[in-house]
Amino acid sequence: MHKEMIITIDGPAGAGKSTVSKMLAKKLSYIYLDTGSLYRALAYKGVKNKINFEDMEALNNLCSNISIVLKNSEGQMKVYVDGEDVGDKIRTEEIGLAASKISAYAVVRQRLLQLQREAGRNGGIVAEGRDMGSVVFPKADFKFYLDADIKERIKRRHKELLGKGNSSELLAIQKDMETRDNQDSKREIAPLKPTSSSIIIDSTKLSLQEVVDKIVRQMANK
Ligand code: DC
């Protein structure tokens, strides 16, 4: 019986992290941890309560007065904000951008750190986000960094939004994605970047299954 490992998958929006992480977690019978949804959960409550994200006191209050609970069932991670299953409500571009914005603040990152580490306490987890390998699980057994050409990432996001029945314009997605790439990789605390031990995978020309196969091969070769 092999040890229950911690596997991290970081990378920019639209690189395929979520689907790949879910597929990998299922294959290994591991827990899937989508940390972006925690930032989205905070942003969701902030937007709902019309909080000004530049007002530090309001942001502090938001972080102190929110209950975020994670539940894993059959490979899906459910997020509850103050008892409400937020489901697809946090999957919009508006909430994604707001999540990216608030994620630059130390109080926000600190609020979510414990929750993430707690989820990985016993190992057996595939954790995806921006700082999984660099900050949250620096001792992870395997660290992957999934990247893709921005044009391809825009196309994928467009398809995903259309598939969910949302209206979607390529130009608007491009603008949002460039903003998010900038915010997520240029912030001072826990910026998006591969660590020195990350295995970088470019998924531009690969199917999601090919990415998973590549990850599994890399793990078997170690
Ligand atoms: O992965 P996602 O698109 O659901 O994440 C939404 C935002 O949350 C992302 O743009 C930046 C932030 N985030 C973060 O700062 N650190 C993480 N580990 C995960 C997400």
Side-chain angles (χ1 to χ4, degrees), residues 57-115:
E57 201 182 328
L59 205 55
N60 273 321
N61 281 336
L62 173 67
C63 290
S64 314
N65 297 310
I66 187 171
S67 143
I68 304 177
V69 173
L70 305 179
K71 285 189 189 156
N72 248 282
S73 76
E74 290 161 20
Q76 296 290 330
M77 202 191 92
K78 283 195 168 187
V79 185
Y80 294 81
V81 173
D82 299 333
E84 175 193 1
D85 174 1
V86 285
D88 278 346
K89 287 185 212 152
I90 59 171
R91 297 280 142 220
T92 64
E93 283 300 284
E94 183 198 11
I95 300 296
L97 270 174
S100 170
K101 187 162 191 189
I102 61 167
S103 69
Y105 293 101
V107 61
V108 168
R109 305 207 73 83
Q110 206 50 42
R111 170 66 179 79
L112 299 178
L113 187 61
Q114 234 14 61
L115 206 58

Side-chain angles (χ1 to χ4, degrees), residues 10 13 17 34-37 39-40 91 96 99-100 103 109 116 128-132 157 180 184 187:
D10 290 303
K17 295 187 305 294
D34 164 12
T35 59
S37 67
Y39 290 88
R40 285 172 183 265
R91 297 280 142 220
S100 170
S103 69
R109 305 207 73 83
Q116 298 170 75
E128 67 134 310
R130 304 292 187 287
D131 61 340
M132 295 300 98
R157 183 51 52 93
R180 279 226 271 158
D184 296 350
R187 66 181 175 225

Side-chain angles (χ1 to χ4, degrees), residues 121-173:
R121 193 169 39 123
N122 299 320
I125 190 169
V126 179
E128 67 134 310
R130 304 292 187 287
D131 61 340
M132 295 300 98
S134 56
V135 176
V136 180
F137 300 115
K139 293 191 177 144
D141 300 271
F142 287 97
K143 298 179 185 179
F144 292 96
Y145 187 92
L146 195 53
D147 210 347
D149 188 271
I150 186 155
K151 283 202 193 109
E152 180 61 27
R153 293 192 282 121
I154 292 165
K155 262 202 293 189
R156 288 179 190 168
R157 183 51 52 93
H158 182 60
K159 205 168 146 198
E160 183 191 332
L161 288 171
L162 290 181
K164 282 187 185 155
N166 298 326
S167 66
S168 171
E169 272 181 43
L170 278 172
L171 257 176
I173 297 177

